[in-house]
């Protein structure tokens, strides 16, 4: 779980960093004044940022799916959150694939909805973990061989 979360966060931070760097370097610059090397640099930053975001989408889906499966196996009152996580993971994979294969604007809206679903589920799972820790209920599988 931790490795999946770290990979997801790292990819999204690269995407955010590339976008921020583009804005910092080229924000307010007249396009006529930018050299061909500048356009090449901007294109590389854009492609790296978009690529990292695309890979982050799949990592996010894998993280949610794995975490939801672990919650589901542990049993207890958190099963609805686990099933919701499986649905979010499936939606996240679908929206990530749609974002990769489509050039229409509506696919961007679906991709944003997938990202927001990932954030909302991650927040709900975090709240669940805090509540479980405060109550002293461990999320451990009930049958340990």
């Amino acid at each position: 779980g931790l490795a999946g979360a770290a990979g997801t966060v790292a990819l999204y931070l690269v995407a955010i960093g590339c976008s921020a760097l583009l804005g910092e370097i080229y924000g307010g610059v007249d396009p006529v004044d930018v050299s061909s090397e500048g356009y090449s640099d901007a294109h590389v930053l854009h492609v790296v940022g978009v690529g990292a975001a695309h890979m982050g989408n799949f990592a996010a889906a894998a993280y949610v799916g794995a975490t939801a499966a672990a919650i589901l196996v542990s049993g207890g009152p958190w099963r609805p959150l686990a099933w919701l996580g499986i649905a979010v993971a499936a939606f996240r994979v679908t929206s990530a694939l749609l974002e990769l294969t489509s050039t229409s604007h509506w696919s961007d809206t679906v991709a944003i909805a997938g990202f927001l679903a990932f954030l909302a589920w991650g927040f709900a799972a975090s709240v669940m973990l805090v509540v479980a820790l405060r109550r002293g209920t461990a999320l451990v599988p009930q049958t340990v061989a």
Side-chain angles (χ1 to χ4, degrees), residues 1-84:
L2 185 57
T8 302
V9 168
L11 288 166
Y12 281 141
L13 286 177
V14 167
I16 292 168
C18 286
S19 296
L21 199 57
L22 274 172
E24 188 68 29
I25 294 172
Y26 298 104
V29 174
D30 188 2
V32 175
D33 297 333
V34 178
S35 67
S36 63
E37 293 84 16
Y39 279 116
S40 295
D41 295 344
H43 183 69
V44 167
L45 284 171
H46 173 73
V47 168
V48 168
V50 168
H54 288 314
M55 294 307 296
N57 294 341
F58 292 105
Y63 169 72
V64 170
T67 305
I71 294 170
L72 194 59
V73 168
S74 72
W78 308 109
R79 288 177 145 309
L81 181 67
W83 286 112
L84 181 62

Side-chain angles (χ1 to χ4, degrees), residues 29-134:
V29 174
D30 188 2
V32 175
D33 297 333
V34 178
S35 67
S36 63
E37 293 84 16
Y39 279 116
S40 295
D41 295 344
H43 183 69
V44 167
L45 284 171
H46 173 73
V47 168
V48 168
V50 168
H54 288 314
M55 294 307 296
N57 294 341
F58 292 105
Y63 169 72
V64 170
T67 305
I71 294 170
L72 194 59
V73 168
S74 72
W78 308 109
R79 288 177 145 309
L81 181 67
W83 286 112
L84 181 62
I86 290 170
V88 167
F91 178 60
R92 192 70 195 116
V93 167
T94 303
S95 67
L97 286 171
L98 187 64
E99 186 178 14
L100 276 176
T101 59
S102 179
T103 57
S104 64
H105 293 295
W106 65 267
S107 67
D108 293 337
T109 304
V110 173
I112 290 168
F115 181 70
L116 293 176
F118 161 68
L119 290 179
W121 190 86
F123 178 76
S126 298
V127 168
M128 178 222 46
L129 181 60
V130 169
V131 168
L133 288 173
R134 295 218 176 194

